Amino acid sequence: MAPDAPVPELLHRTVQGDGAAADRVMAILYDELRSIARAQLKKSPVRVSLPPTDLVHEAYLRLAGRDGGWESRGHFLRLCARVMRGALVDHARRRNAQRRGGGKPGAPLHAAALWFEERNIDLIALDEALDRLAERDERKRTI
């Protein structure tokens, strides 16, 4: 049997719920999928703390139960590469969202204004002082 021959059939059987076929596909393609995952991680413009194995498993989970009409081993591997890229983008988006507060609601503007009022801080004088500082050193004003 040619190396390409069983993969599309096994993929189709996997979609039908054949767990043994899924295990066989993974055994056949696992090294190639890890290689693709390593390449995807290396090409990623953002450093991701995700091991290649996790990326392979994420792609597998995203494709589980989906009949992509895979024509060949190569077709399936190209789809896996695209799914891995999408998983990396999603991972980066989640990480960036956490950096921006992780979905926690921001403090309302009036709360900030109250903070200044409670401390008797003159916002207009503060703004004027910052403008004078900018004339000397814009970077310090920004900081």
Side-chain angles (χ1 to χ4, degrees), residues 7-143:
V7 173
E9 179 187 334
L10 289 170
L11 290 169
H12 181 71
R13 287 180 26 209
T14 298
V15 172
Q16 304 303 318
D18 185 342
D23 292 343
R24 177 105 167 96
V25 166
M26 286 306 285
I28 293 170
L29 300 178
Y30 194 74
D31 289 339
E32 288 178 80
L33 291 170
R34 279 184 43 89
S35 180
I36 291 168
R38 277 192 299 277
Q40 291 290 339
L41 289 164
K42 194 177 220 179
K43 287 191 305 187
S44 177
V46 178
R47 290 294 145 224
V48 179
S49 60
L50 194 66
T53 302
D54 289 356
L55 190 53
V56 169
H57 294 181
E58 176 70 22
Y60 182 78
L61 290 173
R62 288 179 181 214
L63 291 171
R66 179 175 152 186
D67 187 359
W70 302 296
E71 300 160 8
S72 67
R73 168 193 215 116
H75 183 231
F76 179 72
L77 292 173
R78 285 189 302 276
L79 177 63
C80 285
R82 192 167 52 231
V83 169
M84 287 179 196
R85 222 175 14 257
L88 287 173
V89 168
D90 291 346
H91 181 76
R93 283 184 180 141
R94 281 191 302 275
R95 194 174 78 193
N96 287 343
Q98 288 174 342
R99 286 183 182 166
R100 291 188 304 265
K104 297 176 192 162
L109 184 58
H110 69 274
L114 287 174
W115 185 88
F116 281 97
E117 285 177 18
E118 289 170 356
R119 285 153 185 80
N120 292 322
I121 296 173
D122 184 350
L123 287 175
I124 295 172
L126 176 62
D127 186 56
E128 290 170 355
L130 288 172
D131 286 341
R132 286 192 306 274
L133 179 60
E135 292 171 8
R136 292 183 181 182
D137 190 338
E138 180 62 37
R139 184 171 183 267
K140 287 181 181 174
R141 177 185 194 246
T142 303
I143 291 171

